[in-house]
Amino acid sequence: MSARRVLITGVGARTAYDGGAEGLFEGLIGGRTGLGVARSFDTSPLDVAYVGEVSDKVEAGLRGDRKSSLALAASIEALKMAGLDGKGELVGGVW
């Protein structure tokens, strides 16, 4: 079997750290936690005090449910970082 090469040209993320992939990197390197008090649901029936919750700041114009919008926003961020606009280029993704 021949060796396969992989080239990563862009990264995108939507996490509890906010700020996309850069915010995630800075939060992890800086030793900060992404946990906080839940804002979008009631945690009283659960035995938890803090949660890692992605903020409601999703780019305007993205349609679909919340999960799809977050995935699309992260994909757009990765394409921009790679210098692609997603029109005409050969693009791939791994989930």
Side-chain angles (χ1 to χ4, degrees), residues 76-93:
I76 291 169
E77 179 184 16
L79 286 170
K80 285 181 181 177
M81 183 184 286
L84 303 172
D85 63 8
K87 298 176 185 167
E89 290 95 352
L90 177 62
V91 237

Side-chain angles (χ1 to χ4, degrees), residues 5 13 18 29 32 34-35 53 58 62 70-71 73 81 89:
R5 294 179 183 214
D18 287 334
I29 295 300
R32 294 189 309 275
L35 301 179
E53 185 175 32
V58 177
L62 298 182
L70 292 170
M81 183 184 286
E89 290 95 352

Side-chain angles (χ1 to χ4, degrees), residues 12-29:
R14 290 299 177 265
T15 70
Y17 284 101
D18 287 334
E22 186 175 330
L24 172 61
F25 179 76
E26 290 174 0
L28 293 173
I29 295 300

Side-chain angles (χ1 to χ4, degrees), residues 23-87:
L24 172 61
F25 179 76
E26 290 174 0
L28 293 173
I29 295 300
R32 294 189 309 275
T33 180
L35 301 179
V37 177
R39 297 177 304 260
S40 64
F41 64 96
D42 179 21
T43 60
S44 61
L46 307 171
D47 190 23
V48 297
Y50 296 98
V51 298
E53 185 175 32
V54 179
S55 75
D56 291 330
K57 301 175 204 166
V58 177
E59 285 74 9
L62 298 182
R63 296 183 299 179
D65 64 13
R66 179 171 165 76
K67 293 175 209 152
S68 298
S69 295
L70 292 170
L72 186 56
S75 300
I76 291 169
E77 179 184 16
L79 286 170
K80 285 181 181 177
M81 183 184 286
L84 303 172
D85 63 8
K87 298 176 185 167

